[in-house]
C-alpha cells in the first residue's frame, strides 16, 4: 500500500454495505429495472441483494468469497468489520462524515447489513442468489442483466490491479449486460483519495458504437473526491 494512502489496506477487503448506501452511491431507482435481472459485482457481505430481493426485484450477487461456508463467512465478516472500524478510526480526519455522522453509526450500519446478508446467505442453496466468481471472469451468459453495480472494488484498488485488469473487468461486465442495460461503478478514487489516473484512457478504450460512458454525480459523501460514479450504457 502506498505511503500516501489514507486507509491501510492489504489485499481486497470484504464489502459490507446497506441498500440505503447503494441508493446514494448509485443514485439508484430500481423501479426502472423492475422487469430485468440486477447483479451486484464483488458484492462481499453487502445486504443490497437481500433487500432488493425482499422488495420484489430479481437481484443477484457474485463474489470470490461465496465459496465460504456459512460459519466461515460469519467469522470472516465479523473480523473484517472490526478491522475496518479500527482503520477508519485512525483515518477519520481524512474523511467526510455527511453520510454517516459518526463512526458508531457507520459501524452499526455495517453490523446490520452483515446480519441481513447472513440471513440470506444461509439460504443460498434454496434461493440461488449468490454466485462464486471474480472479475475479469463472471459465471454468467452474455446479455443476462439489466443493471450491474460494483462498489469499492474497481478503481479503489488501482495499486493492486493494473490498467489492463480494469479494461478486462469492464469488458466482462459489458458482456453480461443486456442491450439497453447499465453498469454503475463507484467510487472513482483510490485509497490515496485521488481520482483513478487512467480514467480518461479507460473511457477512450471502452467507448464504441455499442457503449456510451458518462460520469454522473452521486449524493454519497465519505471520501472527499468521491462525488461521481461511472455509468456505462450498452446500446
Amino acid at each position: 500500500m502506498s505511503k500516501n494512502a489514507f486507509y491501510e489496506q492489504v489485499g481486497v477487503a470484504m464489502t459490507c454495505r446497506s441498500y440505503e448506501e447503494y441508493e446514494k452511491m448509485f443514485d439508484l431507482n430500481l423501479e426502472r429495472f423492475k422487469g430485468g435481472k440486477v447483479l451486484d459485482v464483488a458484492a462481499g457481505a453487502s445486504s443490497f441483494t437481500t433487500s432488493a430481493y425482499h422488495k420484489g426485484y430479481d437481484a443477484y450477487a457474485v463474489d470470490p468469497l461465496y465459496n465460504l461456508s456459512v460459519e466461515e463467512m460469519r467469522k470472516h465478516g465479523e473480523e473484517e468489520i472490526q478491522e475496518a472500524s479500527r482503520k477508519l478510526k485512525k483515518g477519520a480526519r481524512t474523511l467526510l462524515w455527511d453520510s454517516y455522522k459518526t463512526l458508531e453509526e457507520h459501524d452499526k450500519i455495517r453490523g446490520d447489513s452483515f446480519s441481513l446478508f447472513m440471513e440470506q446467505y444461509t439460504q443460498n442453496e434454496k434461493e440461488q442468489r449468490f454466485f462464486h466468481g471474480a472479475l475479469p471472469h463472471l459465471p454468467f451468459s452474455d446479455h443476462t442483466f439489466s443493471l450491474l453495480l460494483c462498489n469499492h472494488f474497481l478503481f479503489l484498488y488501482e495499486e493492486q490491479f493494473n490498467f489492463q485488469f480494469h479494461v478486462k473487468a469492464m469488458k466482462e461486465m459489458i458482456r453480461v449486460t443486456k442491450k439497453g442495460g447499465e453498469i454503475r461503478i463507484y467510487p472513482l478514487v483510490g485509497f490515496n483519495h485521488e481520482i483513478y489516473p487512467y480514467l480518461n484512457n479507460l473511457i477512450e478504450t471502452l467507448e464504441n458504437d455499442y457503449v456510451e460512458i458518462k460520469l454522473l454525480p452521486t449524493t454519497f459523501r465519505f471520501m472527499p473526491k468521491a462525488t461521481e460514479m461511472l455509468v456505462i450504457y450498452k446500446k
Side-chain angles (χ1 to χ4, degrees):
M1 179 55 59
S2 167
K3 65 182 179 180
N4 296 318
F6 291 86
Y7 183 91
E8 303 170 5
Q9 182 61 46
V10 177
V12 178
M14 172 188 277
T15 304
C16 184
R17 289 175 171 81
S18 67
Y19 184 93
E20 290 74 21
E21 288 171 284
Y22 275 62
E23 286 184 311
K24 292 179 181 179
M25 287 188 290
F26 297 113
D27 189 27
L28 198 58
N29 178 9
L30 276 189
E31 279 298 311
R32 287 183 51 210
F33 306 95
K34 185 81 173 184
K37 296 180 183 295
V38 178
L39 179 66
D40 189 2
V41 181
S46 293
S47 60
F48 169 79
T49 297
T50 299
S51 294
Y53 174 64
H54 288 165
K55 292 175 184 290
Y57 299 101
D58 196 10
Y60 301 84
V62 61
D63 195 279
L65 292 175
Y66 294 163
N67 62 344
L68 296 180
S69 69
V70 171
E71 288 310 311
E72 288 171 336
M73 181 66 81
R74 193 183 308 279
K75 182 176 184 297
H76 182 63
E78 290 172 351
E79 291 173 351
E80 282 277 296
I81 290 173
Q82 291 178 3
E83 182 67 6
S85 180
R86 181 190 69 79
K87 292 174 182 177
L88 287 175
K89 184 176 182 179
K90 185 176 180 180
R93 292 183 179 180
T94 70
L95 300 165
L96 302 176
W97 291 90
D98 302 41
S99 294
Y100 296 115
K101 306 306 179 187
T102 66
L103 178 61
E104 290 73 22
E105 180 182 331
H106 172 278
D107 291 352
K108 184 179 187 305
I109 292 172
R110 291 288 166 273
D112 291 347
S113 298
F114 182 61
S115 295
L116 188 56
F117 163 81
M118 286 303 303
E119 288 180 15
Q120 187 82 9
Y121 190 75
T122 59
Q123 301 296 319
N124 193 41
E125 288 187 12
K126 177 181 177 182
E127 302 293 353
Q128 284 298 300
R129 294 282 148 186
F130 301 98
F131 290 85
H132 176 248
L135 290 171
H137 305 291
L138 298 177
F140 307 108
S141 301
D142 297 355
H143 315 297
T144 299
F145 299 95
S146 297
L147 174 66
L148 277 78
L149 304 173
C150 183
N151 83 87
H152 293 82
F153 177 58
L154 293 175
F155 307 134
L156 187 66
Y157 292 90
E158 55 100 0
E159 288 195 350
Q160 296 183 45
F161 298 99
N162 63 20
F163 178 77
Q164 287 306 316
F165 175 87
H166 280 75
V167 171
K168 291 178 181 178
M170 294 175 76
K171 283 184 176 180
E172 178 70 350
M173 289 194 290
I174 292 168
R175 178 186 69 80
V176 303
T177 303
K178 283 185 172 183
K179 291 181 180 180
E182 296 180 15
I183 301 164
R184 301 186 186 187
I185 302 169
Y186 177 92
L188 310 184
V189 304
F191 285 113
N192 60 0
H193 288 201
E194 296 298 329
I195 300 294
Y196 180 63
Y198 310 109
L199 186 60
N200 290 336
N201 292 344
L202 186 66
I203 292 172
E204 291 174 4
T205 300
L206 293 172
E207 271 195 320
N208 54 45
D209 291 341
Y210 307 101
V211 173
E212 180 183 4
I213 301 177
K214 292 183 179 180
L215 303 181
L216 297 178
T218 78
T219 60
F220 190 75
R221 294 293 180 269
F222 195 41
M223 301 173 78
K225 294 185 179 181
T227 60
E228 294 181 307
M229 61 176 165
L230 185 143
V231 183
I232 301 175
Y233 302 92
K234 187 172 181 179
K235 301 176 185 179

